[in-house]
Amino acid sequence: MDEQGAGHPGHPGHPGAQAALDEICNKISDLNKWREIFRFRGLEITTTTHQALRKVLFGDASRIFSHDWAQAHFRFREPHSDLAYALEADKGGTRAILMAVQGNIIKYLLFVRNTEYTHLERLCKISQKEQGEALAAALADSLWAAGEGREATVCLISAATHFVPTTDYKADNFTERIQLFNFFEKAAAQKFIFDHINCFKSEGSKGLILFLYSLLFSRTLERVQNDLGGTTPHLLESGCGNVICTQALLQVVLAGSACPSRRCEVGFLRWSREEAGHHLPPVGSVLKTPKFPIWLCSINGMHGVLFSTNRLFLSDWKMEHVFHLYFYNGQRGQTRTAHLTVDTHSHHWEEGCCEDTSSPGKRSPSLEMAIRTRWPGASVSWNGTDPFF
């Protein structure tokens, strides 16, 4: 009788019952793990915090995002296409942030993930799911860097409004509904973002603004203000009827800080015909010589990404004699990644055809001038592509 009882499926000693018990224990353990990894902080977003957020961004709590910013989200090109890795970016100030994130996406696909593919195939042969994984990794990289490698905050929108706006605060019907999730492991933040990836890539999701909020809360508003140090009053500026990013904000996306003191993983180059009259902050060697051969380029106020598929490219100066670079500008009109060949061998009889970086840029495409801010005197071949920028 005892032996029959012990063999019954409901008996504690039965293998099936033990497996069910183990599964319950594992689920409890997982719940405890997630409680340790992140804590919900939605109720901590007070009126004062919302006002401070607006002031860091605009300098004024009564300012709100324009329609093009509210509509911006992370939208990929077709999977398994020549530009499967690429984000689409509309004209305006949002393109700068999208292209900065694009740099992180390229870094992940080329140099981080494990794949059998090589070179540009790593960027082209990706599925819709892999696009989401790349975006989650890219966003998590920026947030983790902003949190100084210790924490990251992810901002999502809830159904309920968490505070009643005051007279000096203009409501926009989504900032008032944000909730913050704080993570203390990068992998957990990345998984959480991937699990909620549609909150960043779906139309109407406010995905770009949610990333921007996540970035600032990961850095903390106090640290952002300390980074700015009074040199830049706020992170967004109005220009030509549009809201545009300051270089300080782009540096937060790329390096986690508005004033990076260490080498960034993704670099930054800038060239403009009108730069002399704009008194822009200089682009230092910390930004020009990143850990990975990827650069966000600001060219006459427009943005794109320049990169090499060779991870070791910057580790040996001999490789910088004649080399290949690729460029993507985010515009819908670009149907394939531009392939450039750069020659840094300087000869006195060629000096007349290579402009100085301070010249107006009347003869050379502006992208070539941006490249020469990193490799002075270089000649650039577009390999059959019609030059743009």
Side-chain angles (χ1 to χ4, degrees), residues 13-32:
H14 189 273
Q18 186 60 46
L21 183 61
D22 289 343
E23 183 179 358
I24 293 171
C25 291
N26 288 335
K27 289 182 177 179
I28 293 174
S29 176
D30 287 342
L31 285 173
N32 290 333

PDB file of all heavy atoms in Angstrom, residues 13-32:
ATOM      1  N   GLY A  13       7.015  12.202  -3.488  1.00  0.00           N
ATOM      2  CA  GLY A  13       8.208  11.528  -3.955  1.00  0.00           C
ATOM      3  C   GLY A  13       8.173  11.168  -5.427  1.00  0.00           C
ATOM      4  O   GLY A  13       9.160  10.695  -5.979  1.00  0.00           O
ATOM      5  N   HIS A  14       7.041  11.346  -6.085  1.00  0.00           N
ATOM      6  CA  HIS A  14       6.921  11.002  -7.503  1.00  0.00           C
ATOM      7  C   HIS A  14       7.760  11.972  -8.348  1.00  0.00           C
ATOM      8  O   HIS A  14       7.781  13.181  -8.086  1.00  0.00           O
ATOM      9  CB  HIS A  14       5.448  11.081  -7.930  1.00  0.00           C
ATOM     10  CG  HIS A  14       5.209  10.528  -9.301  1.00  0.00           C
ATOM     11  ND1 HIS A  14       5.336  11.279 -10.444  1.00  0.00           N
ATOM     12  CD2 HIS A  14       4.830   9.281  -9.700  1.00  0.00           C
ATOM     13  CE1 HIS A  14       5.057  10.535 -11.496  1.00  0.00           C
ATOM     14  NE2 HIS A  14       4.740   9.310 -11.072  1.00  0.00           N
ATOM     15  N   PRO A  15       8.477  11.474  -9.383  1.00  0.00           N
ATOM     16  CA  PRO A  15       9.327  12.334 -10.217  1.00  0.00           C
ATOM     17  C   PRO A  15       8.579  13.516 -10.810  1.00  0.00           C
ATOM     18  O   PRO A  15       9.123  14.619 -10.908  1.00  0.00           O
ATOM     19  CB  PRO A  15       9.836  11.385 -11.299  1.00  0.00           C
ATOM     20  CG  PRO A  15       9.771  10.031 -10.670  1.00  0.00           C
ATOM     21  CD  PRO A  15       8.573  10.051  -9.763  1.00  0.00           C
ATOM     22  N   GLY A  16       7.304  13.302 -11.237  1.00  0.00           N
ATOM     23  CA  GLY A  16       6.533  14.398 -11.825  1.00  0.00           C
ATOM     24  C   GLY A  16       6.249  15.499 -10.826  1.00  0.00           C
ATOM     25  O   GLY A  16       6.332  16.684 -11.136  1.00  0.00           O
ATOM     26  N   ALA A  17       5.921  15.080  -9.601  1.00  0.00           N
ATOM     27  CA  ALA A  17       5.643  16.061  -8.554  1.00  0.00           C
ATOM     28  C   ALA A  17       6.897  16.839  -8.211  1.00  0.00           C
ATOM     29  O   ALA A  17       6.863  18.049  -7.975  1.00  0.00           O
ATOM     30  CB  ALA A  17       5.084  15.354  -7.321  1.00  0.00           C
ATOM     31  N   GLN A  18       8.044  16.133  -8.173  1.00  0.00           N
ATOM     32  CA  GLN A  18       9.300  16.802  -7.850  1.00  0.00           C
ATOM     33  C   GLN A  18       9.671  17.825  -8.923  1.00  0.00           C
ATOM     34  O   GLN A  18      10.142  18.925  -8.625  1.00  0.00           O
ATOM     35  CB  GLN A  18      10.418  15.764  -7.717  1.00  0.00           C
ATOM     36  CG  GLN A  18      11.752  16.338  -7.234  1.00  0.00           C
ATOM     37  CD  GLN A  18      11.636  16.985  -5.860  1.00  0.00           C
ATOM     38  OE1 GLN A  18      11.041  16.401  -4.949  1.00  0.00           O
ATOM     39  NE2 GLN A  18      12.172  18.188  -5.730  1.00  0.00           N
ATOM     40  N   ALA A  19       9.402  17.458 -10.195  1.00  0.00           N
ATOM     41  CA  ALA A  19       9.699  18.382 -11.291  1.00  0.00           C
ATOM     42  C   ALA A  19       8.829  19.632 -11.196  1.00  0.00           C
ATOM     43  O   ALA A  19       9.298  20.758 -11.420  1.00  0.00           O
ATOM     44  CB  ALA A  19       9.494  17.685 -12.635  1.00  0.00           C
ATOM     45  N   ALA A  20       7.550  19.438 -10.855  1.00  0.00           N
ATOM     46  CA  ALA A  20       6.649  20.581 -10.704  1.00  0.00           C
ATOM     47  C   ALA A  20       7.110  21.475  -9.557  1.00  0.00           C
ATOM     48  O   ALA A  20       7.068  22.706  -9.647  1.00  0.00           O
ATOM     49  CB  ALA A  20       5.220  20.102 -10.478  1.00  0.00           C
ATOM     50  N   LEU A  21       7.541  20.835  -8.454  1.00  0.00           N
ATOM     51  CA  LEU A  21       8.019  21.599  -7.301  1.00  0.00           C
ATOM     52  C   LEU A  21       9.273  22.393  -7.661  1.00  0.00           C
ATOM     53  O   LEU A  21       9.420  23.562  -7.287  1.00  0.00           O
ATOM     54  CB  LEU A  21       8.312  20.638  -6.147  1.00  0.00           C
ATOM     55  CG  LEU A  21       8.760  21.288  -4.826  1.00  0.00           C
ATOM     56  CD1 LEU A  21       7.685  22.222  -4.298  1.00  0.00           C
ATOM     57  CD2 LEU A  21       9.066  20.198  -3.798  1.00  0.00           C
ATOM     58  N   ASP A  22      10.181  21.747  -8.421  1.00  0.00           N
ATOM     59  CA  ASP A  22      11.399  22.440  -8.853  1.00  0.00           C
ATOM     60  C   ASP A  22      11.072  23.640  -9.735  1.00  0.00           C
ATOM     61  O   ASP A  22      11.694  24.702  -9.629  1.00  0.00           O
ATOM     62  CB  ASP A  22      12.309  21.482  -9.624  1.00  0.00           C
ATOM     63  CG  ASP A  22      12.939  20.432  -8.722  1.00  0.00           C
ATOM     64  OD1 ASP A  22      12.929  20.634  -7.486  1.00  0.00           O
ATOM     65  OD2 ASP A  22      13.408  19.404  -9.249  1.00  0.00           O
ATOM     66  N   GLU A  23      10.072  23.473 -10.608  1.00  0.00           N
ATOM     67  CA  GLU A  23       9.685  24.569 -11.492  1.00  0.00           C
ATOM     68  C   GLU A  23       9.148  25.754 -10.697  1.00  0.00           C
ATOM     69  O   GLU A  23       9.465  26.913 -10.975  1.00  0.00           O
ATOM     70  CB  GLU A  23       8.640  24.087 -12.497  1.00  0.00           C
ATOM     71  CG  GLU A  23       8.225  25.162 -13.513  1.00  0.00           C
ATOM     72  CD  GLU A  23       7.215  24.654 -14.523  1.00  0.00           C
ATOM     73  OE1 GLU A  23       6.871  23.449 -14.455  1.00  0.00           O
ATOM     74  OE2 GLU A  23       6.764  25.457 -15.354  1.00  0.00           O
ATOM     75  N   ILE A  24       8.334  25.466  -9.679  1.00  0.00           N
ATOM     76  CA  ILE A  24       7.802  26.529  -8.826  1.00  0.00           C
ATOM     77  C   ILE A  24       8.929  27.250  -8.100  1.00  0.00           C
ATOM     78  O   ILE A  24       8.959  28.479  -8.018  1.00  0.00           O
ATOM     79  CB  ILE A  24       6.783  25.937  -7.816  1.00  0.00           C
ATOM     80  CG1 ILE A  24       5.541  25.442  -8.556  1.00  0.00           C
ATOM     81  CG2 ILE A  24       6.411  26.981  -6.758  1.00  0.00           C
ATOM     82  CD1 ILE A  24       4.582  24.655  -7.681  1.00  0.00           C
ATOM     83  N   CYS A  25       9.876  26.475  -7.583  1.00  0.00           N
ATOM     84  CA  CYS A  25      11.023  27.076  -6.885  1.00  0.00           C
ATOM     85  C   CYS A  25      11.838  27.970  -7.819  1.00  0.00           C
ATOM     86  O   CYS A  25      12.295  29.049  -7.425  1.00  0.00           O
ATOM     87  CB  CYS A  25      11.912  25.981  -6.293  1.00  0.00           C
ATOM     88  SG  CYS A  25      11.151  25.081  -4.922  1.00  0.00           S
ATOM     89  N   ASN A  26      12.012  27.512  -9.073  1.00  0.00           N
ATOM     90  CA  ASN A  26      12.763  28.307 -10.045  1.00  0.00           C
ATOM     91  C   ASN A  26      12.053  29.617 -10.363  1.00  0.00           C
ATOM     92  O   ASN A  26      12.685  30.672 -10.492  1.00  0.00           O
ATOM     93  CB  ASN A  26      12.972  27.514 -11.339  1.00  0.00           C
ATOM     94  CG  ASN A  26      13.978  26.393 -11.165  1.00  0.00           C
ATOM     95  OD1 ASN A  26      14.840  26.457 -10.295  1.00  0.00           O
ATOM     96  ND2 ASN A  26      13.858  25.360 -11.987  1.00  0.00           N
ATOM     97  N   LYS A  27      10.704  29.547 -10.471  1.00  0.00           N
ATOM     98  CA  LYS A  27       9.943  30.764 -10.752  1.00  0.00           C
ATOM     99  C   LYS A  27      10.040  31.753  -9.599  1.00  0.00           C
ATOM    100  O   LYS A  27      10.157  32.963  -9.804  1.00  0.00           O
ATOM    101  CB  LYS A  27       8.477  30.417 -11.046  1.00  0.00           C
ATOM    102  CG  LYS A  27       8.282  29.730 -12.393  1.00  0.00           C
ATOM    103  CD  LYS A  27       6.813  29.444 -12.659  1.00  0.00           C
ATOM    104  CE  LYS A  27       6.638  28.819 -14.041  1.00  0.00           C
ATOM    105  NZ  LYS A  27       5.212  28.508 -14.329  1.00  0.00           N
ATOM    106  N   ILE A  28       9.987  31.229  -8.375  1.00  0.00           N
ATOM    107  CA  ILE A  28      10.135  32.105  -7.206  1.00  0.00           C
ATOM    108  C   ILE A  28      11.518  32.737  -7.200  1.00  0.00           C
ATOM    109  O   ILE A  28      11.685  33.929  -6.923  1.00  0.00           O
ATOM    110  CB  ILE A  28       9.888  31.310  -5.908  1.00  0.00           C
ATOM    111  CG1 ILE A  28       8.415  30.878  -5.838  1.00  0.00           C
ATOM    112  CG2 ILE A  28      10.282  32.139  -4.692  1.00  0.00           C
ATOM    113  CD1 ILE A  28       8.114  29.964  -4.677  1.00  0.00           C
ATOM    114  N   SER A  29      12.520  31.923  -7.537  1.00  0.00           N
ATOM    115  CA  SER A  29      13.889  32.436  -7.597  1.00  0.00           C
ATOM    116  C   SER A  29      14.023  33.516  -8.653  1.00  0.00           C
ATOM    117  O   SER A  29      14.679  34.541  -8.450  1.00  0.00           O
ATOM    118  CB  SER A  29      14.853  31.288  -7.897  1.00  0.00           C
ATOM    119  OG  SER A  29      16.170  31.761  -8.045  1.00  0.00           O
ATOM    120  N   ASP A  30      13.368  33.286  -9.826  1.00  0.00           N
ATOM    121  CA  ASP A  30      13.414  34.290 -10.881  1.00  0.00           C
ATOM    122  C   ASP A  30      12.756  35.583 -10.444  1.00  0.00           C
ATOM    123  O   ASP A  30      13.253  36.683 -10.729  1.00  0.00           O
ATOM    124  CB  ASP A  30      12.720  33.764 -12.139  1.00  0.00           C
ATOM    125  CG  ASP A  30      13.546  32.703 -12.854  1.00  0.00           C
ATOM    126  OD1 ASP A  30      14.753  32.635 -12.578  1.00  0.00           O
ATOM    127  OD2 ASP A  30      12.976  31.957 -13.668  1.00  0.00           O
ATOM    128  N   LEU A  31      11.623  35.486  -9.736  1.00  0.00           N
ATOM    129  CA  LEU A  31      10.954  36.686  -9.260  1.00  0.00           C
ATOM    130  C   LEU A  31      11.853  37.473  -8.308  1.00  0.00           C
ATOM    131  O   LEU A  31      11.949  38.700  -8.391  1.00  0.00           O
ATOM    132  CB  LEU A  31       9.647  36.309  -8.542  1.00  0.00           C
ATOM    133  CG  LEU A  31       8.470  35.883  -9.428  1.00  0.00           C
ATOM    134  CD1 LEU A  31       7.324  35.380  -8.568  1.00  0.00           C
ATOM    135  CD2 LEU A  31       8.011  37.051 -10.302  1.00  0.00           C
ATOM    136  N   ASN A  32      12.500  36.752  -7.417  1.00  0.00           N
ATOM    137  CA  ASN A  32      13.418  37.418  -6.486  1.00  0.00           C
ATOM    138  C   ASN A  32      14.584  38.067  -7.227  1.00  0.00           C
ATOM    139  O   ASN A  32      15.023  39.170  -6.871  1.00  0.00           O
ATOM    140  CB  ASN A  32      13.955  36.412  -5.463  1.00  0.00           C
ATOM    141  CG  ASN A  32      12.882  35.958  -4.489  1.00  0.00           C
ATOM    142  OD1 ASN A  32      11.931  36.701  -4.226  1.00  0.00           O
ATOM    143  ND2 ASN A  32      13.019  34.750  -3.965  1.00  0.00           N
TER     144      ASN A  32
END
